[in-house]
Amino acid sequence: MTLEDLQELSEKEQLRQAEKKHRILYCSAAGCASCGSDKIGAVLKAKIKEHGLEKECEVVGTGCLGLCGEGPLVKLQSDQTLYQNVDVQAAEQIIESHIVKNLPVTAKKVDTTQPFFISQTKIVLENCGEINSESIDEYIGVRGYEALAKVVNEMQPAEVIEEIRKSGLRGRGGAGYSTGLKWGIVSKAHGEQKYVVCNADEGDPGAFMDRSVLEGDPHRVLEGMAIAGYAVGATQGYVYCRAEYPLAIERLKLAIKLAEKMGMLGNRILESQFNFRIDIRIGAGAFVCGEETALLQSIEGKRGNPKPRPPYPSEKGLWGMPTLINNVETFANIAPIIRNGSEWFAGIGTEKSKGTKVFALAGNIRNTGLIEVPMGIPLRKIIFDIGGGTPEGTEFKAAQTGGPSGGCIPKDHLDLPVDYESLSKVGSIMGSGGMIVMDSTSKMVDVAKFFMQFCMDESCGKCIPCRVGTRHIYGLLDKISKKKATQDDMVLLQELCTMVKETSLCGLGQSAPNPVLSTLRFFRNEYEELLQPVEIYQGEPGVVADFEK
Amino acid sequence: MAVKTLTINGEQYSAQEGESILSVARQHNIPIPTLCHLEGLSTVGACRLCVVQIEGIPRLLPACTTKVEEGMVIQTANERLNKYRRMIVALLASEGNHVCAVCVANNHCELQDLAYSVGLVRVRYPYLFPNKQLDATHKDYVMDHNRCVLCTRCVRVCDEVEGAHVWDVAGRGINSEIITGLDYSWGNSQTCTECGKCVMVCPTGALFEKGVTVSEMEKKKGFLKYIITARQKKEWVSIGNE
Amino acid sequence: MIQTEKQQHPSGDNRFKLLDRAITKHQARGDALIEVLHVAQGIFGFLENDLLIYVAHALKLPLSKVYGVATFYHFFNLKPNGEHTFVLCMGTACYVKGAERIQSALEEHHQCKFGQTTKDNKVSFITARCVGSCGLAPVAVLDNAVVGKLTPDESIKKVEQLKNTLREVVS
Ligand SMILES: Cc1cc2nc3c(=O)[nH]c(=O)nc-3n(C[C@H](O)[C@H](O)[C@H](O)COP(=O)(O)O)c2cc1C
Ligand code: SF4
Ligand code: SF4
Ligand code: FES
Ligand code: FES
């Protein structure tokens, strides 16, 4: 297949869709699927058949439509009507009333002029909920694989890297390292074999961005990986996906198969000299395997124990070979950058944080679901406009970003622009995109304890500060929350947090104290209210160590 | 190989490219406490006792795994580092069940020596008093999990030097444990060659010979250098046991 | 005795043939250990010692290493689960939305802690870290079905229903 063939195919698909009077989309991603959207899809199809409308209408299962809290969702692509909480009855009505009689079903209609819909900027999610994620034709119909065709036939690897560097794209997996620089390092590293790895471990409990991208638009990730492979000189790629995402794994497998069949993956991609294969590796329930060195150990079939860096994976990664690791969302940004040019991308966002960020909005907030916003958007806008604020009768207290490695952002900082630098200034991190909103009912000590328990359970146990330190920090938080602690314990807590942060081997331990430090910073009073009074502070003597000879 | 110059604690030193900070420090008798590291085995950077401060790098890095670089300015000890090291040993004390006075390794224990050298007197963390097993099923040796600090020296020596890979780590986090085979007792292991290397490299009284009593278990580690030089250079040096 | 994938398992259990196929697919490479354990657990439900030994020999790995890997990852079960599973999400979104209340309600009602199986061996209560349906928090996975927006009372009811259904046997 050549670039021309691809464009022809794309036009053919666009024509095919244009001939349909209605494309009825139902969300078949995990969130809605768990509310029975498969059944809704079946009902829609049966009704279309019943009315003999199969020619002019098509019913399509798509990726996430965004408003996950109100599923199952159904959307008419023709006039962009969105229906929420669609049950069997409503599904029947949609066909009978809206499709047949052109009378929208007002009771279930979502007002798509609300800020939730209009304040978003979609790059990564542009196809999510627009195309059938199981069809490669539909992806090609929205100019899919065009960027790959352009790259392998018209660009030098160094030009690709330069384009990505100029776009200002930074890693979306947490640390925010410049993607272009990372690609440059891997491309210059020496090794007879190089690898590209997509980090789809999404370990932050309370985040589902990567899952939605994989379920709704898997080809986009594959295309990004193949472009990366071409740029750095790799011929083998791996997607490391967590086992908790069976649907994403299934869709990925199918997407790889279809892409191979059409010559987008495999040997001589799009009639160039470039060969690239992608395999899937499935995690097995370990948060630490999101950390890059642990992830590589896991791909090699070992325990997911991180290794000290340097050496970085870009120099010594999988089986000792130079390895490029990027997050799902990072790869999802690649094709549009190549298609639209780096200036276009660099025009979105702030000076140091370019493009958009996908957030999984959850917790005590009215609109839960998946959103994509330009970098630098004020937090207030995300929570109150897009998210619709906290539910009736409760008050916003804090938003937690970065999950167990991040921190909370209190009310006073609501006008903070959401970008890498600003978030770290207030002691949180961008993280991979989980954003949990807490209202007045959340107790911050308990929240800190919750995250510390998570880190303690997920610590791999290799290094002492994290293995034993997180255990004691958890113990201290437990003591405080049970009102048994004194000011001495607070001193101990603070000391331990600093020490674990500074001496742990990997990012898990180094960031595990963040939720505690951040709640101590903004909600110290909630800790102090729980302390036992001590008249005169003497400092805990501790017990004599049993090391006496 | 290129020579690198670097500054440690204000003094200038030169070192070979590819050498670790720890190795340079040892050559010049600059003390850096270590536990998981053992010359002759692979480095894992796990215990974090050897962390040092390097100018221009915000993170502390372990001396055992970090390679020297031109112009590095390193501090191997200061108040902050000493405090962290004391805390690390205190964490170990609270994690296991260590009572030196009744231990076979008393006076010959690296953990005990560490506690003295970092100046650990009191432990402010609650002891966890884990319920750990003692495995005496092997005909020659005993494994007392109560005294294990999970340094994985035994795992590495058995895999890398003896080639038997009897040991490994099971579980994770605070529940990690050293195991033989499928968590069977050591005595049932079909692959243990009874060479005793693990016993000799173990820094504490976790692994010891049957029959020894308090303070009698001296560990002789000279064999490691002997075997490794023999393998790599076909030279048989004299065994220097510590 | 050392078995290779060519020999039949002495028990004559045909499921080992399925496992062998997966092992051959990965050319019996040691680094496919996690993939093979996934397949083994899929076929047998849990990883018995006998099975781990079989996998170790087939992939030519030391037993301790196989055991170390199997116990590192939470996804692998070394013990069988009850007839049904109730997996309660304890991710952040679900926690903020009160998953703990569901946990204590269920523990009290069934006199069975999470991480254990009821005495009649009907239901295993398991906790998970985010099943990726945070929009529907609090969430649980009953056998294979995701159920969202749970309340304590409702979960108790759901578990009763679960007990009375027959689990589909995955072949
Ligand atoms: C404990 C821990 C967990 C992590 N989990 C993830 C994850 O789930 N997904 C991810 O993409 N990156 C995760 N990371 C970050 C990765 O190590 C790595 O930085 C990232 O995949 C690089 O990709 P990027 O440059 O595209 O961001 C984690 C890091 C740590 C320390
Ligand atoms: S910081 Fe925690 S997770 Fe990372 S290596 Fe140390 S023990 Fe393992
Ligand atoms: S038994 Fe000894 S050598 Fe082995 S991990 Fe424990 S302390 Fe280290
Ligand atoms: S000796 Fe360097 S980390 Fe243990
Ligand atoms: S936190 Fe429960 S599904 Fe994500």
Coordinates of all heavy atoms in Angstrom, one line a residue, chain A residues 209-260:
Chain A
M209 N -7.4 7.0 31.6 CA -7.3 7.7 30.3 C -6.7 6.7 29.3 O -7.2 6.6 28.2 CB -6.3 8.9 30.4 CG -6.5 9.9 31.5 SD -6.1 9.3 33.1 CE -4.5 8.6 33.0
D210 N -5.6 6.1 29.7 CA -4.9 5.2 28.8 C -5.8 4.1 28.3 O -5.8 3.7 27.2 CB -3.7 4.6 29.4 CG -2.7 5.7 29.7 OD1 -2.9 6.9 29.2 OD2 -1.7 5.5 30.4
R211 N -6.6 3.6 29.3 CA -7.6 2.5 29.0 C -8.5 3.0 27.9 O -8.8 2.3 26.9 CB -8.3 2.2 30.2 CG -9.6 1.4 29.9 CD -10.4 1.1 31.1 NE -11.1 -0.1 30.8 CZ -11.5 -0.9 31.8 NH1 -11.4 -0.7 33.0 NH2 -12.2 -2.0 31.4
S212 N -9.0 4.2 28.0 CA -10.0 4.7 27.1 C -9.4 4.9 25.7 O -10.1 4.6 24.7 CB -10.6 6.0 27.6 OG -11.2 5.8 28.8
V213 N -8.2 5.4 25.7 CA -7.5 5.5 24.4 C -7.3 4.2 23.7 O -7.6 4.0 22.5 CB -6.2 6.3 24.5 CG1 -5.4 6.3 23.2 CG2 -6.4 7.7 25.1
L214 N -6.9 3.2 24.5 CA -6.6 1.9 23.9 C -7.9 1.2 23.4 O -8.0 0.5 22.4 CB -5.9 1.0 24.9 CG -4.5 1.3 25.3 CD1 -4.0 0.5 26.4 CD2 -3.6 1.2 24.1
E215 N -9.0 1.5 24.2 CA -10.3 0.8 23.8 C -10.9 1.6 22.7 O -11.6 1.0 21.9 CB -11.2 0.8 25.0 CG -10.8 -0.2 26.1 CD -11.7 -0.2 27.3 OE1 -12.6 0.7 27.4 OE2 -11.5 -1.1 28.1
G216 N -10.7 2.9 22.6 CA -11.5 3.7 21.7 C -10.7 4.0 20.4 O -11.3 4.3 19.4
D217 N -9.4 4.0 20.4 CA -8.6 4.3 19.3 C -7.3 3.7 19.3 O -6.2 4.3 19.2 CB -8.5 5.9 19.3 CG -8.2 6.4 17.9 OD1 -8.2 5.6 16.9 OD2 -7.9 7.6 17.8
P218 N -7.3 2.3 19.3 CA -6.0 1.6 19.4 C -5.0 1.9 18.3 O -3.8 1.9 18.5 CB -6.4 0.1 19.5 CG -7.7 0.1 18.8 CD -8.4 1.4 19.1
H219 N -5.5 2.1 17.1 CA -4.6 2.2 16.0 C -3.7 3.5 16.1 O -2.6 3.5 15.7 CB -5.4 2.3 14.6 CG -5.9 1.0 14.2 ND1 -5.1 0.0 13.7 CD2 -7.2 0.5 14.3 CE1 -5.9 -1.1 13.4 NE2 -7.1 -0.8 13.8
R220 N -4.2 4.5 16.8 CA -3.5 5.7 16.9 C -2.2 5.4 17.8 O -1.2 6.0 17.5 CB -4.4 6.7 17.7 CG -3.7 7.8 18.4 CD -4.7 8.6 19.1 NE -5.6 9.2 18.2 CZ -5.5 10.5 17.7 NH1 -4.6 11.2 18.2 NH2 -6.3 11.0 16.9
V221 N -2.3 4.5 18.8 CA -1.2 4.2 19.6 C -0.2 3.4 18.8 O 1.0 3.7 18.8 CB -1.6 3.5 20.9 CG1 -0.4 3.1 21.7 CG2 -2.6 4.3 21.6
L222 N -0.7 2.5 18.0 CA 0.2 1.6 17.2 C 0.9 2.5 16.2 O 2.1 2.4 15.9 CB -0.6 0.6 16.4 CG -1.4 -0.4 17.3 CD1 -2.1 -1.4 16.4 CD2 -0.5 -1.1 18.3
E223 N 0.2 3.5 15.6 CA 0.8 4.4 14.6 C 2.0 5.2 15.2 O 3.1 5.3 14.7 CB -0.2 5.3 14.0 CG 0.4 6.1 12.8 CD -0.7 7.0 12.1 OE1 -1.8 7.0 12.5 OE2 -0.3 7.7 11.1
G224 N 1.7 5.7 16.4 CA 2.7 6.5 17.2 C 3.9 5.6 17.5 O 5.1 6.1 17.3
M225 N 3.7 4.4 17.8 CA 4.8 3.5 18.2 C 5.6 3.2 16.9 O 6.9 3.2 17.0 CB 4.3 2.2 18.8 CG 3.8 2.3 20.2 SD 3.2 0.7 20.8 CE 4.7 -0.2 21.0
A226 N 5.0 3.0 15.8 CA 5.7 2.6 14.6 C 6.5 3.8 14.1 O 7.7 3.7 13.7 CB 4.7 2.2 13.5
I227 N 6.0 5.0 14.3 CA 6.7 6.3 13.9 C 8.0 6.4 14.8 O 9.1 6.6 14.3 CB 5.8 7.5 14.0 CG1 4.7 7.4 12.9 CG2 6.7 8.8 13.8 CD1 3.7 8.5 13.1
A228 N 7.7 6.1 16.1 CA 8.9 6.1 17.0 C 9.9 5.1 16.6 O 11.1 5.4 16.7 CB 8.4 5.9 18.4
G229 N 9.5 3.9 16.3 CA 10.4 2.9 15.9 C 11.2 3.3 14.7 O 12.5 3.1 14.7
Y230 N 10.6 3.9 13.7 CA 11.3 4.4 12.6 C 12.3 5.5 13.0 O 13.5 5.5 12.5 CB 10.3 5.0 11.6 CG 11.0 5.6 10.3 CD1 11.4 4.7 9.3 CD2 11.1 7.0 10.2 CE1 12.0 5.3 8.2 CE2 11.7 7.5 9.0 CZ 12.2 6.6 8.0 OH 12.8 7.1 6.9
A231 N 11.9 6.4 13.9 CA 12.8 7.5 14.3 C 14.0 7.0 15.0 O 15.1 7.5 14.9 CB 12.0 8.5 15.1
V232 N 13.8 6.0 15.9 CA 15.0 5.6 16.8 C 15.7 4.4 16.2 O 16.8 4.1 16.7 CB 14.6 5.3 18.2 CG1 13.8 6.5 18.8 CG2 13.7 4.1 18.3
G233 N 15.2 3.8 15.2 CA 15.9 2.7 14.6 C 15.5 1.3 15.3 O 16.4 0.5 15.4
A234 N 14.3 1.2 15.7 CA 13.9 -0.1 16.4 C 13.0 -0.9 15.4 O 12.3 -0.3 14.6 CB 13.1 0.2 17.6
T235 N 13.0 -2.2 15.5 CA 12.2 -3.0 14.7 C 11.2 -3.8 15.5 O 10.4 -4.5 14.9 CB 13.0 -4.0 13.9 OG1 13.9 -4.7 14.8 CG2 13.9 -3.3 12.9
Q236 N 11.3 -3.7 16.8 CA 10.3 -4.4 17.6 C 9.7 -3.5 18.7 O 10.5 -2.7 19.3 CB 11.1 -5.6 18.3 CG 10.3 -6.4 19.3 CD 9.1 -7.2 18.7 OE1 9.4 -7.9 17.7 NE2 7.9 -7.1 19.2
G237 N 8.4 -3.6 18.8 CA 7.8 -2.9 19.9 C 7.0 -3.8 20.8 O 6.6 -4.9 20.4
Y238 N 6.8 -3.3 22.0 CA 5.9 -4.0 23.0 C 5.0 -3.0 23.6 O 5.3 -1.9 23.9 CB 6.8 -4.6 24.1 CG 7.6 -5.8 23.7 CD1 9.0 -5.6 23.4 CD2 7.1 -7.1 23.5 CE1 9.8 -6.6 23.0 CE2 7.9 -8.1 23.1 CZ 9.2 -7.9 22.9 OH 10.0 -8.9 22.5
V239 N 3.7 -3.5 23.8 CA 2.8 -2.7 24.6 C 2.7 -3.5 25.9 O 2.3 -4.7 25.9 CB 1.4 -2.6 23.9 CG1 0.5 -1.8 24.8 CG2 1.5 -2.1 22.5
Y240 N 3.0 -2.9 27.0 CA 2.9 -3.5 28.3 C 1.6 -3.0 28.9 O 1.5 -1.9 29.4 CB 4.0 -3.2 29.2 CG 4.0 -3.9 30.5 CD1 4.6 -5.2 30.6 CD2 3.4 -3.4 31.6 CE1 4.6 -5.9 31.8 CE2 3.4 -4.0 32.9 CZ 4.0 -5.3 32.9 OH 4.0 -6.0 34.1
C241 N 0.5 -3.9 28.9 CA -0.8 -3.5 29.3 C -1.2 -4.2 30.6 O -0.9 -5.4 30.7 CB -1.8 -3.8 28.2 SG -3.4 -3.1 28.6
R242 N -1.8 -3.5 31.5 CA -2.2 -4.2 32.7 C -3.3 -5.2 32.5 O -4.2 -5.0 31.7 CB -2.5 -3.2 33.8 CG -3.7 -2.4 33.6 CD -3.8 -1.2 34.5 NE -3.9 -1.7 35.9 CZ -4.8 -1.3 36.7 NH1 -5.7 -0.4 36.4 NH2 -4.8 -1.7 38.0
A243 N -3.2 -6.3 33.3 CA -4.2 -7.4 33.1 C -5.6 -7.0 33.4 O -6.5 -7.7 33.0 CB -3.7 -8.6 33.9
E244 N -5.8 -6.0 34.2 CA -7.1 -5.6 34.6 C -7.9 -5.0 33.4 O -9.1 -4.7 33.6 CB -7.0 -4.5 35.7 CG -6.6 -5.0 37.1 CD -5.1 -5.1 37.2 OE1 -4.4 -5.1 36.1 OE2 -4.6 -5.2 38.3
Y245 N -7.3 -4.8 32.3 CA -8.0 -4.2 31.1 C -8.2 -5.2 30.0 O -7.6 -5.1 28.9 CB -7.1 -3.1 30.6 CG -7.0 -1.8 31.5 CD1 -6.2 -0.8 31.1 CD2 -7.8 -1.7 32.6 CE1 -6.1 0.4 31.9 CE2 -7.7 -0.6 33.4 CZ -6.9 0.5 33.0 OH -6.8 1.6 33.8
P246 N -9.0 -6.2 30.2 CA -9.1 -7.3 29.2 C -9.7 -6.7 27.9 O -9.2 -7.2 26.8 CB -10.1 -8.3 29.8 CG -10.8 -7.6 30.9 CD -9.8 -6.5 31.4
L247 N -10.6 -5.8 27.9 CA -11.2 -5.2 26.7 C -10.1 -4.5 25.9 O -10.0 -4.6 24.6 CB -12.3 -4.3 27.0 CG -13.2 -3.8 25.8 CD1 -13.8 -5.0 25.1 CD2 -14.2 -2.8 26.3
A248 N -9.3 -3.7 26.6 CA -8.2 -3.0 25.9 C -7.3 -3.9 25.2 O -6.8 -3.7 24.1 CB -7.5 -2.1 26.9
I249 N -7.0 -5.0 25.9 CA -6.0 -6.0 25.3 C -6.6 -6.7 24.1 O -6.0 -6.8 23.1 CB -5.7 -7.1 26.4 CG1 -4.9 -6.4 27.6 CG2 -4.9 -8.2 25.8 CD1 -4.8 -7.3 28.8
E250 N -7.9 -7.0 24.2 CA -8.6 -7.6 23.1 C -8.6 -6.7 21.8 O -8.3 -7.1 20.7 CB -10.0 -7.8 23.5 CG -10.7 -9.0 22.9 CD -12.1 -9.1 23.6 OE1 -12.2 -9.6 24.7 OE2 -13.1 -8.7 22.9
R251 N -8.9 -5.4 22.1 CA -9.0 -4.4 21.0 C -7.6 -4.2 20.4 O -7.4 -4.1 19.1 CB -9.5 -3.1 21.5 CG -10.9 -3.2 22.0 CD -11.9 -2.4 21.1 NE -13.3 -2.8 21.4 CZ -14.1 -2.0 22.1 NH1 -13.8 -0.9 22.6 NH2 -15.4 -2.4 22.2
L252 N -6.6 -4.2 21.2 CA -5.2 -4.0 20.7 C -4.8 -5.2 19.9 O -4.2 -5.0 18.8 CB -4.2 -4.0 21.9 CG -3.8 -2.6 22.4 CD1 -2.9 -2.8 23.7 CD2 -3.0 -1.9 21.3
K253 N -5.1 -6.4 20.3 CA -4.7 -7.6 19.6 C -5.4 -7.6 18.2 O -4.7 -7.8 17.2 CB -5.2 -8.8 20.3 CG -4.3 -9.3 21.4 CD -4.8 -10.7 21.9 CE -3.9 -11.1 23.0 NZ -4.6 -12.0 24.0
L254 N -6.6 -7.2 18.2 CA -7.3 -7.1 16.9 C -6.7 -6.0 16.0 O -6.5 -6.2 14.8 CB -8.8 -6.8 17.2 CG -9.7 -6.6 15.9 CD1 -9.8 -8.0 15.2 CD2 -11.0 -6.1 16.2
A255 N -6.4 -4.9 16.6 CA -5.9 -3.8 15.9 C -4.5 -4.2 15.3 O -4.2 -3.9 14.1 CB -5.7 -2.6 16.8
I256 N -3.7 -4.9 16.0 CA -2.4 -5.3 15.5 C -2.6 -6.3 14.3 O -1.9 -6.1 13.3 CB -1.6 -6.0 16.6 CG1 -1.2 -5.0 17.7 CG2 -0.3 -6.7 16.1 CD1 -0.5 -5.5 18.9
K257 N -3.5 -7.2 14.5 CA -3.8 -8.1 13.4 C -4.2 -7.4 12.1 O -3.7 -7.7 11.0 CB -4.9 -9.1 13.9 CG -4.7 -10.5 13.3 CD -5.5 -11.5 14.0 CE -6.8 -11.8 13.3 NZ -7.7 -12.6 14.2
L258 N -5.1 -6.5 12.3 CA -5.6 -5.8 11.1 C -4.5 -4.9 10.5 O -4.4 -4.9 9.3 CB -6.8 -4.9 11.5 CG -8.1 -5.6 12.0 CD1 -9.1 -4.6 12.4 CD2 -8.7 -6.4 10.8
A259 N -3.7 -4.3 11.3 CA -2.7 -3.4 10.8 C -1.6 -4.3 10.1 O -1.1 -3.8 9.0 CB -2.0 -2.6 11.9
E260 N -1.3 -5.4 10.6 CA -0.4 -6.3 9.9 C -0.9 -6.7 8.5 O -0.2 -6.8 7.6 CB -0.1 -7.5 10.8 CG 0.9 -7.3 11.9 CD 1.1 -8.4 12.8 OE1 0.4 -9.4 12.7 OE2 2.1 -8.4 13.6

